[in-house]
Amino acid sequence: MGLKIRLPLKVFRVTDHSMEPSIKEGDYVLASRLHRKLHIGDVVILRHPTRNIYVIKRVKQLSGGSAFVLGDNSAISEDSRSFGPVKIATIFGKVIYKV
Amino acid sequence: MDAMNTLARKMLSKADAIVHFDEAHAHCDYPCGIYDPYDAQVAAHTVIRMDDLIAQLTHPDKHGENDDLEYHHSLERATAIKEKYAEVCKHELRVLWGDYFKPEHAQANPNLHNLVFTAMKQASKAKQTFDVKQAEALLETVMQIAEAFWKTKNIESKRVEAPYPTKRQMVVPKLY
């Protein structure tokens, strides 16, 4: 039985186009678990509510324990408009660096 | 700064090739957000139309050899098209059900799963028979799914007479 280490920082490679123009496909982002206090406008990495994938979205609204997240490229983004608000607990972390 | 970014990207790209970073999907399930119950309804209308055309065919017993060939040719074409569009209808409903509808939609409309389940069975039944009543039952259920679809988008819908020889209804959104 292996020991699962949850690092406070994690690098992700971005796929798809729904965060364009701010974040493009192929960009690398650094997400931090240490930045737990979220603000409107933050870009976050979260677990998709129904699929076993990470998604990257921008926080549009915060309410109680939930966040309404949207893709910057709203014409093609699947986000809280279709899957609803997400529990903040399901957010992996905040994107603090992009390259 | 650009040079730093370029260097960092190169290093991350090399590291990625070795450790394979997790992907963060900006997530668009192309064609992103473009769903419509229109095609399912058109397919159901096509099934009805084929049943109508088959019913209008004259049996060859009353005619000569050439008419016999023509009869079988028309019957087989109409049957093949009916089979195909019943399957198209099922495919379109599967896409709506599997990709578009979300758990909260089913919560808001507890009959949603049953409607899709029923339509699947009715489409199969429509394939198995030349009974137009089966195809009409399919269309009715597909229209109810279309109404449920537009309701999830808070867009009003209405039933109108479809501009097809079937002379039956279809559900359209009130967009204007």
Side-chain angles (χ1 to χ4, degrees), chain A residues 10 13 18 27 57 76 78, chain B residues 9 16 22 25-27 32:
Chain A
K10 190 169 166 127
R13 183 180 63 256
S18 86
D27 283 350
K57 299 290 166 193
I76 62 163
E78 190 205 9
Chain B
R9 181 183 274 270
D16 192 13
D22 279 340
H25 296 255
H27 203 60
C32 297

Side-chain angles (χ1 to χ4, degrees), chain A residues 10-19 26-28 45 51 54-57 76 78 82-83 97 99, chain B residues 1 4-6 8-9 12-13 16 20-30 32 99 102-105:
Chain A
K10 190 169 166 127
V11 176
F12 292 87
R13 183 180 63 256
V14 176
T15 68
D16 306 324
H17 305 272
S18 86
M19 283 301 285
D27 283 350
Y28 291 95
I45 304 281
R51 302 173 195 194
Y54 287 107
V55 292
I56 180 168
K57 299 290 166 193
I76 62 163
E78 190 205 9
S82 55
F83 54 63
Y97 188 67
V99 63
Chain B
M1 195 63 189
M4 283 287 288
N5 273 347
T6 305
R9 181 183 274 270
L12 283 168
S13 180
D16 192 13
H20 303 299
F21 296 131
D22 279 340
E23 290 180 342
H25 296 255
H27 203 60
C28 38
D29 185 13
Y30 275 127
C32 297
D99 295 351
K102 303 288 185 291
E104 56 268 30
H105 298 151

Side-chain angles (χ1 to χ4, degrees), chain A residues 6-77:
Chain A
R6 289 160 69 89
L7 296 171
L9 298 171
K10 190 169 166 127
V11 176
F12 292 87
R13 183 180 63 256
V14 176
T15 68
D16 306 324
H17 305 272
S18 86
M19 283 301 285
E20 290 182 359
S22 56
I23 298 173
K24 296 183 176 60
E25 183 168 37
D27 283 350
Y28 291 95
V29 295
L30 182 64
S32 165
R33 288 179 185 279
L34 304 174
H35 294 69
R36 297 312 300 169
K37 177 82 178 161
L38 295 179
H39 300 90
I40 290 168
D42 284 348
V43 175
V44 292
I45 304 281
L46 60 141
R47 281 278 181 194
H48 189 285
T50 57
R51 302 173 195 194
N52 187 26
I53 56 173
Y54 287 107
V55 292
I56 180 168
K57 299 290 166 193
R58 191 178 297 278
V59 176
K60 185 72 177 173
Q61 284 176 357
L62 290 164
S63 173
S66 298
F68 196 86
V69 294
L70 295 177
D72 287 356
N73 190 353
S74 61
I76 62 163
S77 174

